[in-house]
Amino acid sequence: MNLLEFESSLYLKQHAQQPVHWHPYNAKAWQRAKDENKPVIVSIGYSSCHWCHVMAHECFDDFEVAEVMNRHFVSIKIDREEFPDADHFYMRALHAMGGSGGWPLNCITLSDGRPLYAATYIPKTRWIDLLQQIIRITSEQPQTALQYADQIEQAMQPVSTFQSHHASITPINFKQVLKSLEPQLDFENGLLKGAPKFIMPEFWNFLLSYCNMPAMLQIQKAVSLTLFNCALKGLYDPINGGFYRYATDEKLKIPHFEKMLYDQAQLISLYWDAYALFKEPFYRYVAVQVIEFIESQMGLPEFGFSAALDADSPEGEGAFYVWRMNDLNTHFSDKQQNSFKLFFDTTENSYWHEADAHIFLFKDVRARPPLVDAHGIPSKNWLDVQGLLKSLQQHRTLPQCDTKQILAWNALVLKAYVKSYETSGSAHYLLKAHSLYNYITSNFKKSNTSWFHQNINQTPSGIANFEDLSYLISAFLDLSNCISEPILLQDCKNLTEQIEFEFKNPVSPLYFFGPEAILHRLELLKLRTAYNLRRMPLWPKIFYEWDLFYKINPMSKRHNTWFLICIRKYNLHYLFMHTGLK
């Protein structure tokens, strides 16, 4: 039987009525696999993922597929936002097999959890064929399956990338690192070359920090082009605010429509930083619009922020955001249509997947009439057009919101509020930051040395991981620069000591992603994965902030050593590892 009905995760609830006998991620599922000597299907995704919905409909809603899965496998469904440690483990298996990553992530394993095969989206026919092959191998050639699992496990072992332990950073080689990025930058469309295009806000924030250095004009050009095009083209929702997760094409016209909290929070900070540097009023406008978006559509009544908005609505992918010219012809007067065309490209350039289905793309904001004034305040003409489009959207079904609150992502919003206050000077943002700090400490803090990973329906659960605590340190440090509350720095000290105690690798300079308490949940999976900065270029910035803090407030030698290990000893080029650049 399907056991997901009483799970709190929205993603698991979305699969609770399927004919597949899904298990939640727990020891009972693995014990059943061992008792029955069956291979395991581990299927990982998240509630707002479009291709997760596609595969769910094509495969997991299908009785033919369910019959094969139920008869021959134990099937486990995992919300990657709920258990990022498990997601990291099986994503590493996919990479070891040559896969490029993505979701849904489907991994078929032995009963002991060791992967045999991993892939992302697979249509029904191929999925059944794959399952039949696995059935034959595990039943007829069990030794071959064991040998293959051994090979994959060996390939999954982390390889140390720290070769230059004593390399120094000089202005010359640092500039060379920055210059070496230029061939990877898309100077025509923005972001990095190729498709799909993810924004990766921290990468661009890092480049922004150094684009005013001498001989960095090309970097500055790439940053400016990226900031404009991300907000002018298909990655941005001009009606409601907020950025979509990624574009499927090089020209940034066609998005996948899920909106993730972590993107919004980091992009708020990025656009405020860009406004502070370039004084471009459009950047200020974007930052304010995204703040208003997360408050109106992702904020919860009790405070705190939801994880994501779905890509799909009942009418289909992107139905809430895509427009047809008939919508305008029917509901707008000729004068209103003329106003609309002042701001949007309504030609075939804005077509989505089919003719007359538009993702409305802004015209250049520097054209006339202006979208915003010199202070980033939107013009009356634009507000009128935006209001008309919002009124039409009220008759559409808003994509589902996953109200799960994740500690790391709410910490990023806290950082965004502080950045908003520091750049704009508006006390409103500081009050919001302080309120969010109080909410986080009241709802995620279990004790001085223990934090929860998530909060669903006012019920906290899970164990905070490396990402949760490191973002929390950074957010609390940011807030401590704006308000005088000793408890903030005490929280930072406690969090740092917790990371040192629970996440430090005794045989490597890398920190583990999950603490021991997480690892004991499923001993067989060896989830103590080294966290090597690939996902989080913010981490070195956190250590840099700590270094400055300890110069003023010296405490323990260990914390300064921690900084030295992660920055001075191992070189800033690890900031670029998450991009795959060489």
Side-chain angles (χ1 to χ4, degrees):
M1 60 180 294
N2 191 318
L3 301 177
L4 302 184
E5 181 179 358
F6 300 106
E7 292 298 307
S8 59
S9 160
L10 175 60
Y11 177 64
L12 268 56
K13 287 181 179 294
Q14 290 172 346
H15 295 262
Q17 303 305 316
Q18 292 170 341
V20 175
H21 293 171
W22 290 115
H23 292 258
Y25 178 57
N26 57 36
K28 289 182 179 179
W30 291 102
Q31 189 59 52
R32 181 192 160 196
K34 295 175 77 172
D35 292 344
E36 299 179 12
N37 194 27
K38 286 183 177 180
V40 178
I41 296 171
V42 179
S43 182
I44 304 173
Y46 56 103
S47 66
S48 57
C49 167
H50 169 69
W51 286 105
C52 298
H53 300 326
V54 173
M55 188 166 178
H57 176 69
E58 293 180 358
C59 296
F60 305 140
D61 286 341
D62 186 272
F63 284 91
E64 181 184 3
V65 171
E67 198 280 330
V68 176
M69 292 175 64
N70 296 341
R71 181 182 296 271
H72 299 284
F73 297 87
V74 172
S75 299
I76 298 175
K77 179 59 73 173
I78 298 178
D79 182 338
R80 67 175 294 260
E81 296 166 358
E82 192 171 22
F83 295 114
D85 49 338
D87 180 55
H88 287 182
F89 177 83
Y90 288 111
M91 189 61 72
R92 198 161 85 241
L94 177 63
H95 292 158
M97 298 177 206
S100 59
W103 295 272
L105 171 59
N106 297 287
C107 192
I108 302 176
T109 81
L110 297 176
S111 60
D112 64 4
R114 287 185 295 161
L116 286 174
Y117 185 84
T120 54
Y121 163 76
I122 303 177
K124 174 185 172 179
T125 302
R126 284 180 49 206
W127 179 245
I128 291 178
D129 289 344
L130 171 63
L131 297 183
Q132 297 290 1
Q133 291 179 45
I134 297 294
I135 293 166
R136 283 194 296 272
I137 292 173
T138 54
S139 61
E140 298 174 11
Q141 299 174 296
Q143 284 303 118
T144 300
L146 287 170
Q147 291 170 4
Y148 191 58
D150 288 340
Q151 293 172 6
I152 295 174
E153 184 179 28
Q154 185 62 35
M156 289 172 63
Q157 298 304 313
V159 178
S160 175
T161 56
F162 295 102
Q163 303 298 328
S164 306
H165 286 193
H166 302 289
S168 61
I169 301 171
T170 68
I172 295 175
N173 67 34
F174 187 61
K175 289 181 181 179
Q176 289 174 346
V177 169
L178 291 171
K179 295 287 285 185
S180 71
L181 294 173
E182 290 182 10
Q184 307 294 332
L185 305 177
D186 186 338
F187 289 96
E188 180 179 353
N189 303 298
L191 298 175
L192 299 178
K193 290 179 179 177
K197 284 180 178 278
F198 293 84
I199 303 179
M200 299 189 301
E202 273 297 325
F203 174 75
W204 294 99
N205 203 310
F206 175 75
L207 292 188
L208 180 70
S209 301
Y210 297 97
C211 68
N212 272 359
M213 291 174 62
M216 289 295 117
L217 290 180
Q218 286 297 98
I219 296 291
Q220 185 178 120
K221 178 182 176 182
V223 170
S224 296
L225 179 69
T226 290
L227 290 169
F228 269 108
N229 281 358
C230 282
L232 288 173
K233 297 192 175 183
L235 275 170
Y236 185 71
D237 178 0
I239 313 306
N240 306 282
F243 288 86
Y244 305 119
R245 185 164 171 258
Y246 67 98
T248 63
D249 65 315
E250 278 193 312
K251 295 185 180 297
L252 306 181
K253 284 174 52 179
I254 303 174
H256 266 308
F257 293 93
E258 59 261 44
K259 293 181 178 180
M260 312 302 296
L261 182 63
Y262 58 81
D263 281 331
Q264 315 309 322
Q266 292 179 96
L267 285 162
I268 291 167
S269 295
L270 174 61
Y271 276 87
W272 276 123
D273 282 337
Y275 173 71
L277 182 62
F278 297 120
K279 305 305 178 187
E280 167 55 57
F282 181 60
Y283 296 159
R284 179 190 178 104
Y285 168 77
V286 172
V288 171
Q289 287 288 294
V290 179
I291 292 171
E292 292 178 357
F293 159 70
I294 65 170
E295 289 180 344
S296 64
Q297 295 195 21
M298 304 186 82
L300 296 171
E302 64 276 5
F303 212 45
F305 292 88
S306 302
L309 278 178
D310 206 331
D312 297 19
S313 55
E315 296 78 18
E317 180 193 7
F320 185 77
Y321 307 104
V322 176
W323 301 86
R324 297 184 184 275
M325 292 308 298
N326 185 55
D327 297 329
L328 306 186
N329 296 333
T330 301
H331 297 95
F332 284 12
S333 68
D334 290 343
K335 182 179 179 181
Q336 289 170 334
Q337 289 188 49
N338 289 334
S339 294
F340 177 87
K341 292 174 182 177
L342 291 173
F343 298 104
F344 286 113
D345 179 357
T346 58
T347 68
E348 64 274 8
N349 291 330
S350 66
Y351 285 165
W352 190 43
H353 289 309
E354 55 189 273
D356 201 37
H358 293 263
I359 301 291
F360 288 144
L361 309 177
F362 275 135
K363 292 180 178 178
D364 194 322
V365 294
R366 291 160 288 192
R368 296 294 176 187
L371 185 76
V372 299
D373 66 14
H375 303 287
I377 307 301
S379 67
K380 182 181 184 304
N381 281 343
W382 164 238
L383 288 176
D384 289 343
V385 170
Q386 187 184 45
L388 286 169
L389 290 170
K390 282 185 176 181
S391 68
L392 290 183
Q393 279 187 326
Q394 289 178 357
H395 303 287
R396 300 179 176 184
T397 305
L398 188 71
Q400 189 170 23
C401 181
D402 187 340
T403 57
K404 175 199 311 107
Q405 299 172 50
I406 296 173
L407 178 56
W409 303 358
N410 276 264
L412 285 171
V413 177
L414 176 53
K415 288 178 63 65
Y417 272 133
V418 174
K419 179 67 68 176
S420 302
Y421 165 70
E422 291 176 333
T423 311
S424 72
S426 172
H428 165 76
Y429 294 131
L430 184 58
L431 290 172
K432 289 281 189 178
H434 194 260
S435 296
L436 184 54
Y437 162 74
N438 288 333
Y439 179 82
I440 288 173
T441 53
S442 298
N443 290 272
F444 287 91
K445 189 175 184 180
K446 189 176 182 181
S447 69
N448 284 338
T449 58
S450 180
W451 294 73
F452 293 107
H453 166 65
Q454 64 181 7
N455 190 322
I456 303 177
N457 299 325
Q458 291 299 287
T459 303
S461 62
I463 302 168
N465 55 49
F466 181 93
E467 185 176 69
D468 291 320
L469 301 186
S470 57
Y471 279 133
L472 206 57
I473 291 172
S474 183
F476 287 178
L477 282 172
D478 287 353
L479 186 58
S480 73
N481 291 328
C482 303
I483 62 175
S484 179
E485 288 196 11
I487 187 63
L488 275 166
L489 296 181
Q490 185 60 48
D491 281 338
C492 289
K493 179 177 181 292
N494 293 339
L495 286 162
T496 305
E497 291 175 348
Q498 182 180 347
I499 288 178
E500 285 281 276
F501 178 73
E502 294 185 350
F503 297 86
K504 190 171 179 61
N505 187 335
V507 296
S508 166
L510 300 177
Y511 284 77
F512 293 126
F513 180 80
E516 285 290 348
I518 289 180
L519 311 175
H520 291 161
R521 183 174 60 242
L522 275 182
E523 189 175 327
L524 61 92
L525 284 183
K526 303 177 182 177
L527 288 176
R528 205 170 188 197
T529 305
Y531 207 82
N532 62 3
L533 306 182
R534 286 185 183 272
R535 268 180 50 95
M536 203 165 57
L538 177 64
W539 201 208
K541 292 171 66 177
I542 294 169
F543 285 119
Y544 178 69
E545 291 163 355
W546 266 116
D547 187 56
L548 294 179
F549 173 74
Y550 281 119
K551 285 176 181 175
I552 302 171
N553 302 279
M555 291 185 184
S556 72
K557 182 179 179 181
R558 183 177 72 242
H559 294 121
N560 281 292
T561 303
W562 191 14
F563 166 77
L564 290 170
I565 289 173
C566 291
I567 297 297
R568 297 172 184 160
K569 193 174 178 183
Y570 292 118
N571 212 321
L572 278 173
H573 74 270
Y574 288 103
L575 286 170
F576 307 121
M577 289 175 61
H578 76 299
T579 68
L581 300 176
K582 300 188 178 179

